[in-house]
Amino acid sequence: MLRQVVLGAFAVTVALIVLLVGEALLSITGLAFDPHGYGMFAGILITAVLTPVALALWLLYRLMR
């Protein structure tokens, strides 16, 4: 059961990373209304924090298998 929880947390983390990268790309290209560029900075910074978390969750899942 714990293995499924870890896999679910990994899936949620990856989904957040994808959404944040999409938000940053829309902000960078100018397709999103973001006059100050906060979406770009938030997307990049939060993705940089979540990437090691996703990697750790994936490694924990593989270790538990």
Side-chain angles (χ1 to χ4, degrees):
M1 168 128 175
L2 183 61
R3 187 176 73 196
Q4 293 173 347
V5 171
V6 171
L7 184 60
F10 171 73
V12 169
T13 305
V14 169
L16 281 173
I17 289 172
V18 168
L19 287 174
L20 288 168
V21 167
E23 178 186 348
L25 286 175
L26 287 176
S27 180
I28 290 169
T29 59
L31 296 175
F33 180 72
D34 189 16
H36 301 292
Y38 293 139
M40 176 183 60
F41 290 120
I44 292 170
L45 290 175
I46 297 172
T47 299
V49 170
L50 286 179
T51 302
V53 172
L55 181 61
L57 286 170
W58 179 251
L59 291 175
L60 180 62
Y61 172 75
R62 294 288 295 180
L63 181 69
M64 293 171 70
R65 255 178 106 182

